[in-house]
């Protein structure tokens, strides 16, 4: 009976439409057959699984919330969260990159003009080309509005100089969404341009050695007198910071969904381990303390999922509380899901620390989710909205 209840909770289908359940099943099946069997190898050998991701794109996962007229699937933010949770049960690192690629694709689809959308989006949706998001710099992480990369207008080109740090896909991708300073200090001086691979002046740092996320390369992106056509600017000059933050609202939902998938998988792994591991003459699953721990993990998983899906719906509907909910959900879900995965590793005992057991890779891969995409929105007005909304709590 207990196992039946746990399975129903892990099914993650509560409240979903029949169509959403189909998306979810498709993603779970893809994760189980195309990703999970290779997850450890991709991690150990640091393989960027291009062909596997292109198979995912054939299912519509290269432009999940991009408009159909440029090759996207046109799905909602909730649909997207459901898909990324399911895919992450097969490989968090690869799914996290797919989520970043989707965010970049959406930014071009949303803020680009007709020519830009038709030029870039179709090949990004098929994943014939891959994208990277370039905001963070060596001296500006959470304080993104202080970025120093400059873009000086000369004729019909911008001349970019500066560097970006911790760029997922850097050096292996084809399209770089770069935030750069075309005006004065602060957020209103920032613009957004698309820099294409092989543009003169574009180069990359060494491939970083990371604790997790090893199936996606991470490098610095270096811009030295990099000539980018004005026609590659998304939106108007000075709109770049707003574009970056709009992208990150969805990015927070996406990355939290990846944490959710890892926690989902780890609860199952812990449950399965407790059923087969025996100590003191009986299965660990008969130990009441461990039963309580597993119940707590399942409870936190479901609570995280409910908050995250509420935030996804708020973002889709452009509600006034959307930005606050996206930030809250990202903070809560990435923290709680890491704790779930870490507890699952603890339940495995010494075996959980061996690379033969997948639980340790889930722990390593989602630890960075508590760092990137920002816990809190740096915009003062958003902080004020959160404080104001709490007066009625």
């Amino acid at each position: 009976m207990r196992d039946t209840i746990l399975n129903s909770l892990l099914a993650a289908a509560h409240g979903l439409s029949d169509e959403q359940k189909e998306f979810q099943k498709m993603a779970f099946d893809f994760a189980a057959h195309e990703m999970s069997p290779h997850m450890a190898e991709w991690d150990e050998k640091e393989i960027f699984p291009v062909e596997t991701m292109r198979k995912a794109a054939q299912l519509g996962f290269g432009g999940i919330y991009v408009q159909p007229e440029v090759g996207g699937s046109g799905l909602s933010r909730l649909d997207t969260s459901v898909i990324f949770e399911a895919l992450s049960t097969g490989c968090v690192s690869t799914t996290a990159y797919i989520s970043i690629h989707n965010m970049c694709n959406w930014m071009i689809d949303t803020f680009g003009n007709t020519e830009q959308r038709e030029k870039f989006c179709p090949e990004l949706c098929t994943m014939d080309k891959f994208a990277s998001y370039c905001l963070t710099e060596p001296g500006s992480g959470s304080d993104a509005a202080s970025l120093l990369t400059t873009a000086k207008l000369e004729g019909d080109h911008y001349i970019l100089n500066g560097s970006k740090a911790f760029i997922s896909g850097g050096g292996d991708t084809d399209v770089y969404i770069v935030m750069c300073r075309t005006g004065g200090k602060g957020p209103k001086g920032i613009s957004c341009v698309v820099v294409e691979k092989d543009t003169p002046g574009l180069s990359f740092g060494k491939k970083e050695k990371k604790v997790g996320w090893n199936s996606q390369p991470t490098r610095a992106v270096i811009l030295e007198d990099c000539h980018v056509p004005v026609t590659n600017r998304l939106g108007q000059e000075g709109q770049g910071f707003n574009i970056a933050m709009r992208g990150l609202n969805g990015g927070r939902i996406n990355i939290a969904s990846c944490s959710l998938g890892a926690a989902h998988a780890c609860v199952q792994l812990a449950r399965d381990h407790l059923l087969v591991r025996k100590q003191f003459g009986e299965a660990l699953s008969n130990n009441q303390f461990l039963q309580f721990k597993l119940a707590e993990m399942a409870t936190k998983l479901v609570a995280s999922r409910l908050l995250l899906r509420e935030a996804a719906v708020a973002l889709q509907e452009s509600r006034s509380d959307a930005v606050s909910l996206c930030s809250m959900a990202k903070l809560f879900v990435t923290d709680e899901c890491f704790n779930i995965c870490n507890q699952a590793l603890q339940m495995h005992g010494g075996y959980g620390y061996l690379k033969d057991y997948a639980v340790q890779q889930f722990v390593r891969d989602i630890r960075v989710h508590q760092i990137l995409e920002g816990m809190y929105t740096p915009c003062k007005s958003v902080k004020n909205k959160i404080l104001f909304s709490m007066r009625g709590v």
Side-chain angles (χ1 to χ4, degrees), residues 140-171:
S140 62
S142 298
D143 184 15
S146 69
L147 65 83
L148 297 176
T149 296
T150 59
K152 294 184 178 179
L153 183 62
E154 291 188 7
D156 59 358
H157 281 71
Y158 288 110
I159 313 302
L160 272 64
N161 282 283
S163 63
K164 300 293 180 176
F166 309 125
I167 304 306
S168 294

Side-chain angles (χ1 to χ4, degrees), residues 60-81:
F61 298 159
I64 300 173
Y65 50 107
V66 170
Q67 294 305 305
E69 58 262 31
V70 288
S73 298
L75 300 182
S76 72
R77 299 297 185 143
L78 176 56
D79 300 334
T80 304
S81 177

Side-chain angles (χ1 to χ4, degrees), residues 170 203-208 218-222:
S203 62
F204 306 94
K206 66 178 178 64
K207 185 178 177 181
E208 304 289 0
T218 301
R219 294 183 178 90
V221 172
I222 302 166

Side-chain angles (χ1 to χ4, degrees), residues 57-330:
Q58 291 174 12
L59 300 177
F61 298 159
I64 300 173
Y65 50 107
V66 170
Q67 294 305 305
E69 58 262 31
V70 288
S73 298
L75 300 182
S76 72
R77 299 297 185 143
L78 176 56
D79 300 334
T80 304
S81 177
V82 168
I83 289 167
F84 285 146
E85 177 186 351
L87 289 178
S88 284
T89 62
C91 181
V92 170
S93 172
T94 304
T95 304
Y97 172 75
I98 294 173
S99 81
I100 295 167
H101 173 91
N102 269 265
M103 178 177 70
C104 293
N105 199 355
W106 173 83
M107 291 168 72
I108 296 173
D109 182 39
T110 302
F111 298 100
N113 57 36
T114 300
E115 291 76 15
Q116 292 167 336
R117 294 173 70 231
E118 291 178 348
K119 177 181 178 180
F120 294 112
C121 292
E123 289 185 305
L124 293 177
C125 288
T126 60
M127 287 189 157
D128 287 327
K129 290 188 176 179
F130 295 93
S132 292
Y133 178 81
C134 304
L135 174 64
T136 299
E137 297 184 358
S140 62
S142 298
D143 184 15
S146 69
L147 65 83
L148 297 176
T149 296
T150 59
K152 294 184 178 179
L153 183 62
E154 291 188 7
D156 59 358
H157 281 71
Y158 288 110
I159 313 302
L160 272 64
N161 282 283
S163 63
K164 300 293 180 176
F166 309 125
I167 304 306
S168 294
D172 283 52
T173 51
D174 308 282
V175 174
Y176 297 85
I177 310 298
V178 178
M179 309 307 154
C180 49
R181 191 165 298 284
T182 54
K185 294 181 179 180
K188 292 183 179 180
I190 296 171
S191 298
C192 178
V193 299
V194 179
V195 181
E196 300 173 69
K197 187 178 183 180
D198 298 326
T199 300
L202 173 66
S203 62
F204 306 94
K206 66 178 178 64
K207 185 178 177 181
E208 304 289 0
K209 302 294 290 183
K210 307 189 298 292
V211 171
W213 270 29
N214 289 317
S215 72
Q216 50 168 295
T218 301
R219 294 183 178 90
V221 172
I222 302 166
L223 303 147
E224 298 176 302
D225 291 332
C226 184
H227 287 60
V228 179
V230 172
T231 54
N232 278 22
R233 186 190 68 225
L234 297 181
Q236 302 300 313
E237 279 199 1
Q239 196 180 356
F241 189 76
N242 176 261
I243 292 172
M245 293 301 104
R246 289 275 302 276
L248 283 179
N249 289 335
R252 290 180 176 122
I253 296 293
N254 294 346
I255 212 67
S257 301
C258 294
S259 288
L260 201 58
H264 181 134
C266 284
V267 171
Q268 290 179 309
L269 289 171
R271 184 268 315 274
D272 293 345
H273 182 75
L274 295 182
L275 288 170
V276 299
R277 175 67 170 164
K278 291 185 176 180
Q279 288 290 278
F280 306 105
E282 61 180 346
L284 290 179
S285 58
N286 292 328
N287 182 288
Q288 191 177 50
F289 174 78
L290 294 177
Q291 291 173 3
F292 286 164
K293 279 293 181 184
L294 195 64
E296 289 175 4
M297 292 158 66
T299 301
K300 291 176 180 178
L301 172 65
V302 174
S304 296
R305 182 181 293 131
L306 292 172
L307 175 58
L308 186 59
R309 290 183 179 177
E310 175 66 16
V313 171
L315 185 60
Q316 182 67 32
E317 296 176 350
S318 300
R319 283 170 23 193
S320 60
D321 60 349
V323 176
S324 301
L325 281 174
C326 288
S327 296
M328 290 175 177
K330 192 273 176 182

